Amino acid sequence: MKLNSYSKKSAKRDLLELTDLSPDEFNRIFRLTSQLKKKPFQQNLKNKVMGLIFTKSSTRTRVSFEVGIAHLGGKSLFLSPNDIQLGRGETFEDTARVLSRYLNGIIIRTYSHQEVQTLAEFSSIPIINGLTDEAHPCQVLTDLFTIHEKFKTVKNKKIVFFGDCKNNMAHSWLLGASLSGCHLVLSGHPEYKPSSVLWERAQQLAEKHKSVLEWIEDPQEAAKNADVLYTDVWTSMGQEAESIKRKKDLAPWQINSRLMNLASKNAVFMHCLPAHRGEEVTPDVFESKQSIVFDQAENRLHVQKAIMSLFVS
Ligand code: CP
Ligand code: NVA
């Protein structure tokens, strides 16, 4: 039997992946982010209640969303699946339709991207993806804002993503860079390439928005003249059983000082965190002056406040 879905009847917007935003909206979010950074305490979410459904661990995403909601005069409810009936098998379709009657928006972090799409389809309120196995849009939007802050533009900046190029971060980077006019290079072991379906989708966007996407397997070649050297953990949440193989396969793509020295002289090191020092990055690079990882982490707060201000009404 066909279930009633609400989203088609409402004008609400969801942020499930970065293609849900246009390049103009990226700029609108960045302008508002800069304003909110200067004047953090506003009432954009006054009388609004946001739910956070997290089935995976989180430090930055959970805390920056909850703090951001408080700064904007709203309230947050942390909904662990162990506490709500979702954890006992209530469907995403029913959860969506019930929570839409109480809340003004939901931030969700979980494994399956499909479940988040279902939540969005059956909700009449905005759904914001706080990370799935496929995408981490809030992080990459923040990273683009942070690059913009450092270099005054993201256009034509050479950003090299090293390591696991088929994880959620690499996927969101492919879409985010394609929409932003950047030069994104992915560099990793050939077994860790993004799917050809995603690559082609990103290439089409890149052509439209004058962005450049490249796969360069050799890490030294990839790092040459880069503006940003970026990495993420080699083993994402849920992949722990593959950890030993991943460490062995991806070792040549570790960001170390030799690789940093091949980049442009003003290059920065970025990482979405949490980091595993000695694996994807050496401790000296992580702690170096070129490392802007904590600026990135801080900016999650400001960018997400801008996203909620525009999406939640
Ligand atoms: N970068 C990021 O999303 O961090 P958390 O897993 O701590 O939320
Ligand atoms: N790729 C990582 C990102 C963590 C923010 C993971 O999914 O675990």
Side-chain angles (χ1 to χ4, degrees):
M1 188 173 138
K2 197 173 174 312
L3 302 177
N4 283 318
S5 100
Y6 275 155
S7 67
K8 292 187 187 74
K9 293 182 198 147
S10 76
K12 63 102 177 206
R13 297 275 308 275
D14 303 305
L15 176 55
L16 304 193
E17 55 177 332
L18 286 172
T19 43
D20 290 330
L21 297 170
S22 67
D24 279 350
E25 286 176 317
F26 278 30
N27 291 328
R28 207 169 145 213
I29 288 170
F30 295 162
R31 281 195 299 276
L32 185 53
T33 301
S34 301
Q35 289 167 17
L36 287 166
K37 233 179 137 161
K38 287 189 198 115
K39 291 191 177 162
F41 303 107
Q42 303 292 337
Q43 292 296 309
N44 306 1
L45 293 181
K46 189 172 176 221
N47 299 331
K48 308 284 182 216
V49 184
M50 302 291 291
L52 283 84
I53 302 176
F54 278 46
T55 73
K56 281 175 171 172
S57 306
S58 170
T59 299
R60 281 143 288 268
T61 307
R62 176 180 175 178
V63 177
S64 58
F65 266 110
E66 292 213 50
V67 170
I69 293 162
H71 283 188
L72 295 176
K75 289 213 179 325
S76 56
L77 282 182
F78 188 75
L79 304 169
S80 151
N82 295 330
D83 300 329
I84 59 173
Q85 299 285 10
L86 194 60
R88 294 181 59 249
E90 187 166 21
T91 64
F92 274 88
E93 288 88 338
D94 291 354
T95 303
R97 289 181 288 181
V98 171
L99 294 181
S100 292
R101 302 283 179 116
Y102 307 135
L103 297 170
N104 301 99
I106 295 175
I107 297 113
I108 177 160
R109 165 171 289 202
T110 193
Y111 294 87
S112 157
H113 196 74
Q114 174 63 53
E115 285 171 350
V116 176
Q117 287 170 328
T118 303
L119 188 72
E121 188 187 339
F122 284 86
S123 296
S124 59
I125 53 174
I127 304 300
I128 299 173
N129 179 356
L131 182 146
T132 62
D133 288 347
E134 302 288 315
H136 198 1
C138 295
Q139 179 69 55
V140 171
L141 205 55
T142 302
D143 297 337
L144 287 163
F145 175 81
T146 308
I147 294 167
H148 198 282
E149 260 189 337
K150 294 287 160 194
F151 295 102
K152 310 292 170 224
T153 181
V154 297
K155 298 258 181 270
N156 303 318
K157 290 293 154 203
K158 181 176 174 185
I159 298 148
V160 189
F161 185 100
F162 292 95
D164 181 4
C165 298
K166 61 175 183 181
N167 74 8
N168 41 18
M169 281 301 305
H171 286 178
S172 285
W173 257 113
L174 267 177
L175 298 180
S178 303
L179 289 164
S180 304
C182 312
H183 175 186
L184 177 73
V185 177
L186 299 184
S187 182
H189 186 288
E191 269 184 43
Y192 300 79
K193 268 187 179 177
S195 75
S196 53
V197 174
L198 179 66
W199 184 265
E200 276 158 32
R201 189 173 155 216
Q203 277 291 4
Q204 282 177 6
L205 287 171
E207 276 166 35
K208 190 165 161 209
H209 299 288
K210 302 192 171 52
S211 312
V212 177
L213 303 179
E214 280 189 288
W215 169 264
I216 302 180
E217 192 174 312
D218 179 347
Q220 274 80 30
E221 197 53 39
K224 277 186 195 155
N225 303 318
D227 297 296
V228 177
L229 273 70
Y230 199 111
T231 194
D232 180 17
V233 290
W234 290 337
T235 302
S236 288
M237 290 178 273
Q239 301 173 330
E240 288 76 10
E242 299 169 18
S243 156
I244 294 169
K245 173 172 164 47
R246 286 170 166 270
K247 272 189 215 169
K248 190 164 152 280
D249 290 346
L250 294 170
W253 287 272
Q254 179 191 64
I255 301 187
N256 51 35
S257 55
R258 247 179 320 120
L259 217 53
M260 285 304 293
N261 288 338
L262 294 169
S264 106
K265 80 172 179 0
N266 295 321
V268 294
F269 167 73
M270 296 179 76
H271 192 310
C272 56
L273 304 181
H276 290 178
R277 291 171 182 75
E279 293 183 23
E280 72 273 7
V281 58
T282 52
D284 59 325
V285 169
F286 188 90
E287 297 295 343
S288 70
K289 282 204 185 94
Q290 287 168 289
S291 171
I292 59 167
V293 297
F294 298 112
D295 296 333
Q296 268 179 275
E298 179 191 325
N299 282 336
R300 291 291 303 277
L301 171 67
H302 309 299
V303 170
Q304 289 161 187
K305 283 166 69 179
I307 295 170
M308 289 188 288
S309 300
L310 294 175
F311 275 58
V312 181
S313 57

